[in-house]
Amino acid sequence: GTEGGGEVFCDKEIVRMDKAKRKAIIAGNWKMNKTASEAAVLVDELIPAVKDASCEVVICTPFTDLVTAVEKTKGTNIHVGAENVHFEKSGAFTGEISADMLVDLGVEYVIVGHSERRQYFAETDQTVNKRTLAALNAGLKVILCVGEVLSERKDGITSQIVCAQTEIALGGVSADELKNIIIAYEPVWAIGTGETATPEQANEVCAVIRSLIERLYGKDAADAIVVQYGGSMNDKNAAELLAQPDVDGGLIGGASLVAEKFTAIVNAASAK
């Protein structure tokens, strides 16, 4: 059931936390879209549209758009993130970008462990952990992505997979550093497929993640951590998903590329 406590996941009974203690965060993941000049146009549209948001607003853009995004958003309520980061400080890693490079640009957030990175670019739970630590050490805020593939959901092992991914990614992360982590639950089968987890399914797994954080870091940390849902959240289904007690925002793909749609999601989160 989805009501009350009593479900047991990750060897821990789920206890409902107080959502009022957390600020919703809506983050756009632009993926490999928008040239710098196109980014300038989109950011100009977004600035007035989201200026009154009560939720945190983040846009995570391709590396080539970051300078434009940071410059344009100065003095606004829009925060800028990158879509990935390398785990070494510098060195012979052709084509890679370090955390210090991002910080120096004025970037505040970074997505780590997105399923597309895992699927196409050989990311593992271990490299996700290394990237998370590198980002935190440089002072970045991390949007840490976890989620199961369709076969794992069908096999009934969603909570085991998601808990394992989360626990490994957080290896060596202190309770203090955890304050700079947002966890994004993204069921891989619902990313870019048009499929969406039902609000109840999304909430159930976000609650599993929160109960794991309680087990690892205690109740205060679990109360405080922001757990986003990502996986085809859009302007049509956002309000219903965000109404769930353990869904604290969204990591938005396609809808983040259209100012009107992204703004609708921000408004849905601000209404909470």
Side-chain angles (χ1 to χ4, degrees):
T2 51
E3 285 302 312
E7 317 96 311
V8 177
F9 292 99
C10 300
D11 310 319
K12 181 82 178 119
E13 187 175 284
I14 288 173
V15 184
R16 294 283 166 242
M17 305 293 173
D18 182 3
K19 192 168 184 172
K21 295 182 179 175
R22 302 183 294 274
K23 184 177 185 179
I25 300 178
I26 299 296
N29 174 16
W30 290 12
K31 306 191 180 184
M32 195 175 75
N33 293 293
K34 303 288 179 190
T35 63
S37 45
E38 290 167 342
V41 173
L42 179 51
V43 173
D44 279 341
E45 289 175 354
L46 284 175
I47 289 169
V50 302
K51 70 180 192 322
D52 298 322
S54 62
C55 66
E56 183 107 336
V57 180
V58 184
I59 53 171
C60 298
T61 79
F63 292 130
T64 53
D65 296 353
L66 288 171
V67 170
T68 303
V70 168
E71 284 302 314
K72 287 250 173 212
T73 56
K74 276 194 178 134
T76 76
N77 62 325
I78 300 175
H79 304 262
V80 176
E83 296 178 17
N84 194 24
V85 64
H86 196 261
F87 44 79
E88 296 293 349
K89 275 186 86 66
S90 62
F93 302 99
T94 301
E96 291 297 322
I97 303 287
S98 74
D100 289 340
M101 293 172 184
L102 295 176
V103 170
D104 187 65
L105 281 187
V107 171
E108 201 178 331
Y109 286 84
V110 65
I111 299 171
V112 172
H114 192 278
S115 64
E116 287 154 7
R117 300 298 315 172
R118 296 177 193 251
Q119 186 179 349
Y120 304 128
F121 304 104
E123 287 274 334
T124 65
D125 291 340
Q126 286 69 30
T127 61
V128 169
N129 174 235
K130 289 169 75 171
R131 287 172 206 271
T132 299
L133 294 172
L136 290 171
N137 287 338
L140 290 165
K141 293 177 182 169
V142 173
I143 299 174
L144 170 64
C145 299
V146 297
E148 82 285 11
V149 298
L150 188 56
S151 60
E152 291 163 341
R153 175 161 282 271
K154 285 183 169 162
D155 289 342
I157 56 171
T158 294
S159 62
Q160 291 94 311
I161 294 294
V162 170
C163 285
Q165 286 176 344
T166 306
E167 191 159 2
I168 294 167
L170 294 177
V173 174
S174 70
D176 204 43
E177 288 172 323
L178 189 72
K179 292 171 184 162
N180 286 320
I181 290 189
I182 295 147
I183 300 175
Y185 166 55
E186 297 205 305
V188 180
W189 48 272
I191 298 173
T193 59
E195 293 288 319
T196 315
T198 65
E200 293 73 24
Q201 285 173 325
N203 190 70
E204 186 173 54
V205 184
C206 290
V208 165
I209 292 167
R210 200 177 303 287
S211 69
L212 173 72
I213 297 299
E214 185 180 5
R215 180 160 68 77
L216 296 176
Y217 294 96
K219 186 172 187 306
D220 287 351
D223 262 337
I225 196 154
V226 169
V227 184
Q228 295 175 318
Y229 173 75
S232 301
M233 183 185 281
N234 57 46
D235 50 321
K236 304 280 189 289
N237 60 25
E240 202 182 2
L241 286 159
L242 292 165
Q244 295 293 319
D246 282 294
V247 177
D248 304 319
L251 183 58
I252 316 301
S256 71
L257 300 170
V258 181
E260 195 180 2
K261 291 183 178 181
F262 189 64
T263 302
I265 299 168
V266 167
N267 290 343
S270 296
K272 292 290 157 261

